[in-house]
Amino acid sequence: MSLNRYQPIFSCLLLFACLIIFSAASQARDLSEIQKEGVLRHIGVPYANFITLYQEGPHMIKGGMDIELIQGFAKHIGVKYQFIPATWSTAFTKLTGQSASYVNGELKRGEATQNLQGDIIANGVTILPWREQVVDFSTPYFPSAVWLIARADSSLQPIIPSGSTNEDIKKVKNKMDGRDVLAMKHTCLDPDLYNLSETKANVILPLKQRKLNEMVPAILNNDAESTLLDVPDTLIALQKWPGQIKVIGPVSQEQEMAAAFRKQSPQLRDAFNAYLKQIQTTGEYQRLVEKYYPSVFYFYADFFEFK
Amino acid sequence: MNLKQIFTAKNAFIIASVLLGAYLLLILTVTNIGRSKLEDARYNELQFKVDHYDTLLTNYFSRVYRQMNIAANDKSVSTYFANKSSGMSMAYGLGASLFDVNQFLKKLVKNSNHNSQLPTFSRITLLSINGSVIADSDDPDTFHLHKIDVLALKQQQHKIIVDGSHSPLMMQLSTRVYFQKKPIALLIAELNPNPIIELLHSQDYSRQGSRIELSSSDGNLVAINKLPSHLIENSKHSDLFYFEQEINNTPFLLKAWFSQINDQELLTSRVFIIIMSILAVPIFLGIYYLVHVERKNALLQSEISHAKAQQETLSIHNFQLEKEISKRKSSEKRLAYQATHDALTGLPNRSLSLQRLNHAIDTCERHHSKVLVMYIDLDNFKQINDTLGHAAGDVILQQTSKRLLSSVRKIDTVARLSGDEFMLVISELQDQKQATELAVKILSLFDMPFEVNEQAFHTSTSIGLALYPDDGEDPSTLLKSADMALYRAKDAGRNNFSFYESQMNNEVTRKVAINRRLREAIKHNLLKMYYQPLIDLKTQKIVGAEALMRWTDEELGFVSPEEFISLAEKNGLIGQLGNFALSTAAKQAAQWQKIQPLQIAINFSSVQFRDCHALLSEIQNVLLTTGLPADKLDVEVTESLLIGEEKELLDMFRRLREMGVQLSIDDFGTGYSALSYLQKFAFTKLKIDRAFIMNLGHNLSDQTLVTAIVAMAKALHLRVVAEGIEDQEQVHFLSDLECEYGQGYLFNKPLPASEFEKLLYAHNKKS
């Protein structure tokens, strides 16, 4: 009788155990499972020329360097390609099934476990220490940094390069005192990443979710005097609004961008690294970069010399 | 003809030579004028060409200026200067802008080909005002300022700097770059000379020698060079065309040299005129030679043409002669045919048929067979001819010939001898039986009626047959024998045939003799008229007499009137006999009228009535000359006369009756006893033939017939004469019938005139 009394509780525990087991099985989706299923799901946040999305009638037209890169990879491993649109705040959740955010210099993981929606994040994701705790990164394939950009009519004057990045960062941060600086949480422009609070700058965070390519229009709209901006976006902005903005100087050290994988997908990451090396050796990758970021070679000529 | 005479071969040569000479002169003149005109035109054409080159080059440089202006205002260039002016460092941002400018310059050079495979620019450099290189499509380290005076260039929007120290010539185009409306830099574009050369070449499509160059104080660009250099050096003394023209907005002078016309167009040059002049000489010589030969040939030609004309005349004569000969031959042939053939039926005529008969005799002599000669005569053909006309008669003859031809073999001969007489010659006859069969067959041919004018007409034929060698040994004898046999057949009643018999020959001989003697008798008036009294049966008195002709010949003795009159009817002597009888009897009767009124009856042959007018005149004449009263003349005719010839005869009879002449119908009952003519003709008497009277005493049918005749005559108001009364019984019978008159041996036989006169006297005394 006593056994019958605990029977419902036992049944619930058994069901939960099963869910855990099946969940673990689904979390372990790696190259072999992907190939078995026949589809590679690419999670992407529209950003710079890495991923561009725009609506044309009922269709969402996607493009960009990382779209082409992952499509090439999917073809390489013999599966179909599927694009999973995301935002900077949902991208990691869709990959790992668990939310992750960087708040006040600390990583915070979400409690709720969600279904995995994608297998790879590639949209010019900067390799940051907190992100490395959440995901595994591929071999870096694009250089970056974060610069301070101001309106052309701003009294902020570009620094004169000293030859030392650290010195230059100091010069820039010194200029930020009391200035309005636009930044964005959860991204590479997160003010916490660069200790902007120390600069006494008036950091302005957008009230609503913005895309990174909306930062320059914001300062042109007098939302702020200046903004943090990564190099790829800066290069585009300089072409897009010639004479309307100016680069003051660096806020960060040089950074690198790479594709992010679940930590449970080492085979998939290895396969991607192998594919990347292959196209870098054949020159196919350089042609891809030249197509989307022709002027990047001026700054990072060494980065793109693969042997 | 005149035109032909004008255009003789000789004249044609002379005219042709004059025309050719004039033609050559004209060519030379026209060519000379043409040449000078062509030179003018050529100069104008070249001037136009040089103008065109000038326009092309001006347009080319204008386009280059435009290209460079666009480049100086390019976004990448302005972005660079904007970023630079904002104080951006190369390390942070400006480097990217500079990268873009470099990329732009490279692309500009690469894509500068305009309608050409060749790029317009070799290199483009962005130069700062201080002369340092900002960006370059090439390696900046290889750029040298050389002749470039940056400060001077800053004053001009465009300037072309020419450097002749390079080969080929170096041309650099400087363009000012503005930032914020101030010149901030220079774009130095090195011009590729090749597209300029290509542009000028593409317009040079002639094979003519020329040289085109862009000349400046600092050096020349030779675009086309198809002339030897020594000609250019001595151009003032050579025959070259030279042009010089400034190219707008450039330091260049367009210089052009072109060769003269005579070097390029041989046929329009002086050489052509010389060649034409030289060519004229052999042509004139040729014409002279031809005229010379023509003159020599002229005589020969005229002789040939004369001979030809003669030949033509002869051939025409020959042709006419041949035509005449053939015409004569055919005419002779036709004559020969006509001579031997009957025109109407196409059958052989008498002479040819006799030849054929001769030939048949020869053949049969060899084969010991017989030859049959058939002499065929159509019965009553004369009547057909007279009643239906000669055309109808001809048709019957033609049809007869066809029928005869169809009934015999091809080897046999059917001939027309004359009129309605045909002859058949049947060779190789077996026997008389075969001849008989053939004769029957021929007779049967006429059973079918003849078709004349859509009317059927019956006729018959009589055939005389004679056989070789039985009835004669030569053609004429055989023909004669057949003729005799034919007479026999005719005499036997026609529509019959008869073989020749030897006695026939005697009959013919007698007929020939009668014929001959009768002529003599007429000539010597040896014929006598006898008169038999005509008795009124009631009074037994002589009321008239019938005149009868009698002939007793010295050789032949008494010849019966039937024999010699029928012969006279055939041989044409009947007219003379008739006239003799009429005149003699009328004269006699006229004399006897003194004794007593007496009617004299005279017989007329039907042959005499063939010419009614003549007979009537004769009767009138006799009555007039003899003084016999017309009512005392009784004209006696037989029934056979009354068939046919109705109209004329009727008129004559009417005329006689008007004169008062009596008309009697003789031998009534023996001929064609058609009673209608008794009404038609105005007869006064009817004489019953003796044949009916002869047996009147005991032959009932004769009695019945005579009774009927008398009754009929009474009804027709005719008086009746009974002939040949020989006994009293006949007289009684006739008297009972009230027959008016009688004649016969019971009363008197025919008496000579003297005796009859005595009888008259005696008779009148008695009464």
Side-chain angles (χ1 to χ4, degrees), chain A residues 158 161 168 239 242 247 250 294-295 298-299, chain B residues 79 87-88 90-92 95-96 99-100:
Chain A
D168 290 347
Q239 285 178 330
V247 180
S295 57
Y298 178 81
F299 301 101
Chain B
T79 301
M88 275 165 61
M90 293 301 284
Y92 304 111
F99 180 82
D100 287 345

Side-chain angles (χ1 to χ4, degrees), chain A residues 1-20:
Chain A
M1 288 296 285
S2 59
L3 189 63
N4 288 339
R5 195 179 155 190
Y6 293 104
Q7 196 168 11
I9 299 164
F10 180 74
S11 298
C12 286
L13 283 173
L14 190 64
L15 182 63
F16 184 73
C18 288
L19 281 170
I20 294 296

Side-chain angles (χ1 to χ4, degrees), chain B residues 437-669:
Chain B
E437 285 169 2
L438 194 60
V440 171
K441 187 181 172 187
I442 299 294
L443 284 178
S444 70
L445 290 178
F446 295 84
D447 293 345
M448 288 274 290
F450 288 92
E451 282 272 336
V452 182
N453 297 332
E454 297 180 353
Q455 283 184 344
F457 198 90
H458 279 280
T459 185
S460 59
T461 186
S462 300
I463 306 168
L465 301 101
L467 288 167
Y468 170 87
D470 308 339
D471 304 332
E473 292 189 344
D474 56 87
S476 60
T477 311
L478 278 168
L479 200 58
K480 200 174 159 190
S481 301
D483 194 18
M484 284 181 203
L486 174 65
Y487 270 102
R488 165 67 69 82
K490 291 253 182 200
D491 286 347
R494 307 186 174 204
N495 196 16
N496 209 341
F497 65 92
S498 171
F499 281 95
Y500 173 79
E501 290 165 23
S502 56
Q503 70 181 53
M504 286 180 186
N505 202 16
N506 299 334
E507 288 172 11
V508 171
T509 310
R510 181 177 164 79
K511 276 184 183 171
V512 171
I514 289 170
N515 190 17
R516 177 170 52 81
R517 293 301 300 169
L518 185 59
R519 285 174 197 276
E520 288 290 311
I522 292 167
K523 194 178 175 183
H524 298 105
N525 205 15
L526 299 174
L527 294 161
K528 300 290 179 196
M529 292 308 294
Y530 277 56
Y531 304 92
Q532 187 173 32
L534 181 70
I535 306 298
D536 186 332
L537 291 179
K538 204 181 269 181
T539 61
Q540 293 291 312
K541 284 186 177 175
I542 297 171
V543 291
E546 183 180 359
L548 297 164
M549 193 174 279
R550 292 291 181 266
W551 177 36
T552 306
D553 187 67
E554 288 176 2
E555 290 178 15
L556 301 169
F558 178 79
V559 182
S560 75
E562 287 78 17
E563 196 175 10
F564 73 83
I565 283 172
S566 69
L567 198 71
E569 282 179 337
K570 285 173 187 168
N571 63 15
L573 294 172
I574 190 69
Q576 292 181 45
L577 290 181
N579 288 345
F580 169 76
L582 177 62
S583 60
T584 309
K587 190 180 172 185
Q588 198 63 66
Q591 290 173 1
W592 288 335
Q593 295 302 320
K594 294 167 191 170
I595 303 166
Q596 72 157 79
L598 185 78
Q599 265 197 333
I600 184 77
I602 301 168
N603 289 289
F604 285 83
S605 164
S606 58
V607 179
Q608 286 177 277
F609 285 92
R610 283 181 189 168
D611 191 350
C612 291
H613 292 288
L615 184 61
L616 183 61
S617 326
E618 184 62 31
I619 290 169
Q620 285 170 334
N621 187 41
V622 165
L623 289 177
L624 202 65
T625 50
T626 59
L628 180 70
D631 63 330
K632 299 302 176 200
L633 176 64
D634 191 351
V635 173
E636 282 192 11
V637 295
T638 56
E639 287 171 314
S640 61
L641 172 68
L642 306 176
I643 296 168
E645 302 181 33
E646 277 188 20
K647 175 79 172 69
E648 219 173 339
L649 195 65
L650 196 65
D651 287 346
M652 187 188 170
F653 281 4
R654 190 179 295 126
R655 187 79 190 90
L656 288 173
R657 289 295 293 127
E658 282 168 6
M659 286 160 62
V661 175
Q662 302 293 301
L663 279 175
S664 294
I665 184 158
D666 201 5
D667 302 335
F668 186 81

